[in-house]
Amino acid sequence: MSDMVHDDVPTTRTGRNSRRGGGAEARRARRQSGGSAHLRYITRNIPLYEVLSEEGLAIIERNADTLLEEIGIEFRDDEEALALWREAGAQVDGTRVRFPRGLVRELLKTAPSEFIQHARNPERSVQIGGKATVFAPVYGPPFVRNLDEGRRYARLEDFQNFVKLAYTAPAIHHSGGTVCEPVDVPVAKRHLDMVYSHVRYSDKPFMGSVTHPDRAADSVAMAKLVFGDQFVDSNCVLINLINVNSPMVFDATMVGALKVYARAGQACVVSPFILSGAMSPVTVAGTLTQILAEASVGMAFAQLCRPGAPVVFGTFASSISMQSGAPTFGTPEPSLVLYGAAQLARRLGVPFRSGGSLCASKVPDAQAAHESTQTLIPTLYAGVNFALHSAGWLEGGLVSSYEKFVMDCDQLAMMQRFAEGVDLSENGQAMDAIGEVGPGSHYLGCAHTQANFETAFYRSTIADNNSFEQWLADGSQDAVQRANTLYKRWLADYEAPALDPAIDEALQDFIARKKADLPDGIE
């Protein structure tokens, strides 16, 4: 995620005010305006970190099989789903479904181990699975926050702004889904504006609506207007978040949306939503057992709808404060769950979703930074394939923060650089530099340094590394103030990607006709 620009020459810090020249200033402004080239999704060149042994994995898998066979999973208010499970060989008792050992894993054999989600700009298409990691923005908050206005309800303009920021950010590979909830648009209609915003203001891949099966169908219909019916039927152009109502319940809304997307050949992230101690056991192993059971059943159900439908093993796992019940982030136990679930997904042979930049802090402060880092680093090391909530998440997911969005993007760029691993090319070995400098000299002016200084080291878009005097001269700003300036610059410099006028007209006509038939109330 990074082609970072450096100053013309390395300099030694002094106490003097050493303002850079115009060329360096211009490059810095270009970098901070989002002018860096868009970065391809990560292909990891670093090893995975695994916390469970073969014996540990076998224990979790055996316990999950026991859960599925003896306790079962509820499929509520969906007779078709129950009929499909009964036909597949499961035991159905009312809304409770119990699964013979091996049934779920057998069904999952038709699920692809990796797939491409196509963007309307083919250069922005992403691989989901394998050694790929895709960063997507925050998802779902009803509130937004910035330094100027504080915390308030999100509007459609905010939704459009976050889509534009995600498009501008080189380290964001995906436009995401509900980057905030635009509460100024009626519930029954806002999905149309959200999907349209992803298409109109970005050309990166995006997510569809899951809040009602009809809204899922509208998302597929709009995707067909963009990509064409035949292409959509044969390729993945939408990825969608299907949350399990943990513990061990699939409700009609999520099952209905899953059926729509799976039958259309579109990807479903089946993701138990876990607050350990409330929605799963307090232990890591117990939580992993439940997650594996819930996610594998949802993914297998997608195969009943359409064999070969792309699925992603997902999990959102947080601990809670045992004093207040509030979710906590950046703590050790959810990281262990993340690492373990990633291993279980690889054993199933399906892509994995988890992680992001999660925090409970109310503002983008040190707590937010520490907690987000403690989620983001495991995201990379565990081998997460699709990382939702990678930028902008605040207040336990209630807030999309403008400043934290660009601060998180800076960290994502660092992760992408780190994931490249060690360069062992001839240039990376730098033997010519070592030979040129020799003992007792320095590398500042050698040919190798001059040839590599622009890309040798990652340079943050947010951090201030100047002298104290320079920091004073620049206004004594902290990181949040610098992020406030940066996100505004990104929006001011934003230029929309081209969209075929005929496609735009067709989308707007579809939206107008749909809105005319939908209620304005809260439904």
Side-chain angles (χ1 to χ4, degrees):
M1 279 175 246
S2 93
D3 59 68
M4 297 300 143
V5 181
H6 298 252
D7 293 334
D8 284 330
V9 292
T11 57
T12 302
R13 283 187 184 77
T14 68
R16 295 188 298 274
N17 185 332
S18 54
R19 189 175 298 276
R20 293 180 176 90
E25 289 288 352
R27 283 189 294 276
R28 180 169 62 177
R30 184 168 63 251
R31 180 182 67 252
Q32 292 183 339
S33 71
S36 300
H38 287 276
L39 298 166
R40 188 172 173 81
Y41 60 84
I42 292 174
T43 301
R44 294 185 308 278
N45 289 317
I46 56 173
L48 297 171
Y49 183 73
E50 300 187 331
V51 298
L52 289 172
S53 65
E54 179 67 27
E55 179 184 9
L57 290 165
I59 289 172
I60 301 298
E61 290 170 341
R62 183 171 65 250
N63 289 347
D65 285 343
T66 299
L67 185 163
L68 292 175
E69 184 177 43
E70 298 180 3
I71 300 170
I73 303 287
E74 294 265 339
F75 278 75
R76 294 181 179 171
D77 301 318
D78 195 310
E79 291 299 324
E80 183 188 22
L82 297 173
L84 286 170
W85 277 122
R86 190 180 293 110
E87 184 180 347
Q91 177 188 338
V92 179
D93 182 11
T95 59
R96 184 76 60 91
V97 183
R98 294 178 175 86
F99 308 86
R101 288 179 182 266
L103 173 62
V104 170
R105 288 180 182 275
E106 184 65 27
L107 290 171
L108 280 172
K109 288 181 179 179
T110 60
S113 60
E114 59 186 57
F115 58 90
I116 299 296
Q117 184 188 355
H118 294 270
R120 69 180 183 86
N121 178 352
E123 293 182 2
R124 307 278 192 264
S125 297
V126 295
Q127 177 182 309
I128 309 293
K131 299 181 88 172
T133 293
V134 174
F135 289 138
V138 61
Y139 184 107
F143 299 100
V144 298
R145 172 180 283 277
N146 61 35
L147 200 57
D148 307 281
E149 302 169 283
R151 184 182 190 265
R152 59 171 173 78
Y153 278 107
R155 301 185 290 262
L156 182 58
E157 180 184 7
D158 297 301
F159 189 97
Q160 294 166 347
N161 282 343
F162 279 108
V163 170
K164 293 174 183 178
L165 290 173
Y167 172 71
T168 299
I172 294 284
H173 313 113
H174 199 281
S175 195
T178 308
V179 289
C180 63
E181 192 77 35
V183 300
D184 57 335
V185 182
V187 172
K189 300 180 179 182
R190 65 179 63 152
H191 67 288
L192 300 165
D193 293 303
M194 290 191 284
V195 172
Y196 176 75
S197 295
H198 283 300
V199 175
R200 181 65 188 87
Y201 300 113
S202 178
D203 61 5
K204 295 181 180 182
F206 59 94
M207 305 175 77
S209 176
V210 295
T211 54
H212 191 281
D214 289 345
R215 295 167 199 163
D218 286 343
S219 301
V220 173
M222 293 175 74
K224 288 181 176 179
L225 293 175
V226 176
F227 293 93
D229 290 17
Q230 185 174 349
F231 189 87
V232 171
D233 187 61
S234 303
N235 297 276
C236 174
V237 301
L238 292 168
I239 192 168
N240 311 280
L241 181 61
I242 306 297
N243 277 130
V244 184
N245 195 354
S246 301
M248 295 168 283
V249 173
F250 282 85
D251 62 41
T253 298
M254 291 291 100
V255 172
L258 187 156
K259 288 191 292 187
V260 169
Y261 286 121
R263 285 168 173 163
Q266 303 308 300
C268 293
V269 181
V270 180
S271 195
F273 185 90
I274 299 293
L275 301 180
S276 296
M279 297 164 175
S280 76
V282 295
T283 62
V284 170
T287 295
L288 284 171
T289 295
Q290 184 181 311
I291 287 171
L292 176 59
E294 292 175 345
S296 60
V297 163
M299 292 186 293
F301 182 70
Q303 304 310 300
L304 291 180
C305 296
R306 177 170 170 168
V311 290
V312 178
F313 182 136
T315 183
F316 177 95
S318 166
S319 52
I320 63 170
S321 166
M322 300 306 289
Q323 287 71 45
S324 69
T328 56
F329 300 93
T331 53
E333 296 81 10
S335 291
L336 291 171
V337 170
L338 192 161
Y339 283 120
Q343 288 182 258
L344 293 165
R346 285 192 288 275
R347 301 253 292 191
L348 282 177
V350 292
F352 180 59
R353 170 261 162 160
S354 192
S357 299
L358 311 181
C359 68
S361 182
K362 312 307 177 286
V363 294
D365 59 4
Q367 178 187 341
H370 290 159
E371 292 177 353
S372 293
T373 299
Q374 290 299 323
T375 310
L376 183 57
I377 289 176
T379 299
L380 188 68
Y381 286 3
V384 170
N385 300 118
F386 185 69
L388 204 54
H389 310 310
S390 292
W393 168 291
L394 205 60
E395 200 183 320
L398 289 174
V399 169
S400 293
S401 164
Y402 280 90
E403 286 83 11
K404 188 168 183 288
F405 189 95
V406 295
M407 295 168 76
D408 287 339
C409 286
D410 187 50
Q411 295 297 305
L412 300 181
M414 293 187 191
M415 292 298 101
Q416 184 145 356
R417 173 61 67 90
F418 185 78
E420 294 173 1
V422 177
D423 177 10
L424 292 175
S425 67
E426 184 176 347
N427 180 70
Q429 294 174 51
M431 290 302 294
D432 54 339
I434 297 171
E436 178 184 343
V437 172
S441 185
H442 63 75
Y443 289 85
L444 297 177
C446 81
H448 184 271
T449 300
Q450 293 299 307
N452 287 277
F453 76 87
E454 287 196 351
T455 57
F457 305 120
Y458 176 85
R459 184 164 178 208
S460 172
T461 58
I462 296 295
D464 181 278
N465 300 301
N466 292 319
S467 67
F468 178 75
E469 290 78 7
Q470 183 65 57
W471 176 73
L472 285 176
D474 288 341
S476 308
Q477 292 191 334
D478 62 20
V480 180
Q481 291 170 315
R482 292 192 292 273
N484 179 268
T485 299
L486 181 55
Y487 94 72
K488 291 174 180 176
R489 185 180 297 150
W490 282 15
L491 289 176
D493 292 346
Y494 165 83
E495 294 182 7
L499 177 63
D500 185 332
I503 291 176
D504 194 16
E505 182 179 353
L507 288 168
Q508 293 195 52
D509 178 67
F510 178 88
I511 292 169
R513 286 186 287 106
K514 281 287 180 178
K515 283 188 173 183
D517 294 332
L518 292 170
D520 286 329
I522 299 174
E523 295 186 13

